[in-house]
């Protein structure tokens, strides 16, 4: 158990709908990362938050957005869903405080499996 | 842009034997970190081992060790005394040093362990 939790574990929805994925980082971790794992794209970085602020963006679609709340949990919002958005979405966290920020390891949650029908 | 290449889509090893998974990467950075993650059928991503580029000594974690060849940009994972529980997809990952530290993953190697 990595200490990172994600809910829900599975999500089935229809095209055009909107869903929210939730992530709670390990206790004390300030950074949260979102990754998407799909058969055709592999594992791809979406976005990173550090202590409530967006730190880096990857291949995240405009239909997707995220935020990190004061209690450090994060939510990934996916809207106008398409069949191609079906994937496993991972959240990872790391401690990232002071100099440790440059040496921390990312620990992954169990993922949310999204199926768009 | 940095890239990570895993040229072995699938590997197989006999229980108790040793297997080596290959990974190469491309970067112009001098400060970076390399990782191997394991993804079993449960799909959980589990950290196996990490290597700091500035360290010459190869990292080891119990039965897992790496062969880090910085000049050749090679980072292979050796699993000794393979166990049935080692069967999984293994991903090599790269992270540039610094504050923006996303992981860049290879395409993975599926390891089967034969009893």
């Amino acid at each position: 158990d990595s200490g990172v939790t994600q809910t829900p574990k599975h999500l089935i929805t229809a095209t055009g709908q909107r869903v929210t994925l939730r992530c709670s980082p390990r206790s004390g971790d300030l950074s949260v990362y979102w990754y998407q794992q799909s058969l055709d794209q592999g594992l791809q970085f979406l976005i990173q938050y550090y202590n409530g602020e967006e730190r880096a963006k990857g291949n995240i679609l405009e239909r997707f957005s995220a935020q990190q709340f004061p209690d450090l949990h994060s939510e990934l919002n996916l809207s106008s869903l398409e069949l191609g958005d079906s994937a496993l979405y991972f959240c990872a966290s790391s401690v990232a405080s002071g100099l440790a920020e440059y040496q921390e390891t990312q620990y992954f949650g169990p993922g949310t499996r999204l199926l768009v029908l | 842009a940095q890239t990570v290449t895993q040229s072995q889509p699938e590997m197989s090893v006999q229980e108790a034997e040793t297997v080596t998974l290959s990974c190469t990467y491309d970067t112009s950075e001098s400060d970076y970190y390399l990782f191997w993650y394991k993804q079993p059928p449960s799909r959980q991503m589990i950290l196996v081992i990490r290597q700091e580029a500035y360290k010459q000594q190869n990292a080891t974690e119990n039965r897992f060790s790496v062969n880090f060849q910085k000049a050749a940009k090679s980072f292979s994972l050796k699993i000794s005394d393979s166990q049935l529980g080692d069967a999984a997809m293994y991903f090599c990952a790269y992270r540039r040093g610094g504050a923006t530290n996303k992981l860049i993953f290879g395409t993975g190697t599926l390891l089967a362990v034969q009893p």
Side-chain angles (χ1 to χ4, degrees):
Chain A
D1 184 359
S2 67
V4 180
T5 61
Q6 289 186 248
T7 57
K9 289 185 179 179
H10 301 278
L11 201 47
I12 302 174
T13 188
T15 54
Q17 294 299 303
R18 172 189 170 95
V19 297
T20 297
L21 313 184
R22 181 187 170 102
C23 167
S24 292
R26 296 185 317 161
S27 176
D29 283 2
L30 300 177
S31 264
V32 169
Y33 311 77
W34 287 97
Y35 293 87
Q36 179 194 59
Q37 185 178 29
S38 61
L39 284 175
D40 55 344
Q41 302 276 0
L43 267 160
Q44 289 203 71
F45 167 74
L46 294 178
I47 197 164
Q48 176 197 0
Y49 278 82
Y50 173 70
N51 203 19
E53 295 190 1
E54 182 183 304
R55 175 65 65 89
K57 259 186 177 179
N59 298 322
I60 187 166
L61 300 171
E62 285 191 9
R63 300 183 286 107
F64 296 1
S65 65
Q67 54 184 326
Q68 185 179 28
F69 295 86
D71 66 352
L72 300 178
H73 90 271
S74 178
E75 293 181 357
L76 179 66
N77 301 296
L78 316 177
S79 61
S80 302
L81 285 167
E82 302 176 358
L83 296 178
D85 298 328
S86 296
L88 184 55
Y89 291 85
F90 284 108
C91 167
S93 76
S94 63
V95 63
S97 60
L99 288 176
E101 179 176 14
Y102 298 90
Q103 299 185 24
E104 88 288 3
T105 296
Q106 295 179 28
Y107 295 92
F108 283 73
T112 292
R113 191 170 301 198
L114 174 66
L115 179 60
V116 183
L117 300 176
Chain B
Q2 296 91 4
T3 59
V4 177
T5 302
Q6 293 180 253
S7 58
Q8 307 155 315
E10 297 182 15
M11 292 281 285
S12 182
V13 64
Q14 292 291 128
E15 200 174 1
E17 296 296 308
T18 296
V19 64
T20 298
L21 309 184
S22 301
C23 173
T24 59
Y25 58 96
D26 188 25
T27 184
S28 58
E29 304 285 339
S30 58
D31 179 22
Y32 57 88
Y33 303 82
L34 297 165
F35 305 83
W36 279 98
Y37 281 89
K38 169 186 177 180
Q39 188 177 41
S42 66
R43 307 302 297 273
Q44 172 81 48
M45 293 289 287
I46 302 167
L47 175 69
V48 175
I49 200 164
R50 61 175 271 166
Q51 174 79 45
E52 294 85 351
Y54 62 83
K55 289 187 177 178
Q56 293 187 337
Q57 187 173 7
N58 289 325
T60 62
E61 286 289 341
N62 301 313
R63 297 182 296 106
F64 298 87
S65 62
V66 298
N67 183 5
F68 174 47
Q69 300 290 326
K70 191 171 184 178
K73 295 181 181 174
S74 171
F75 183 61
S76 60
L77 175 70
K78 185 171 83 171
I79 306 175
S80 304
D81 186 25
S82 297
Q83 301 176 0
L84 295 177
D86 295 333
M89 182 73 87
Y90 287 81
F91 290 96
C92 178
Y94 164 98
R95 176 174 76 75
R96 181 172 63 92
T100 303
N101 43 22
K102 66 180 181 181
L103 287 169
I104 299 172
F105 288 91
T107 51
T109 296
L110 182 62
L111 177 66
V113 180
Q114 307 299 330

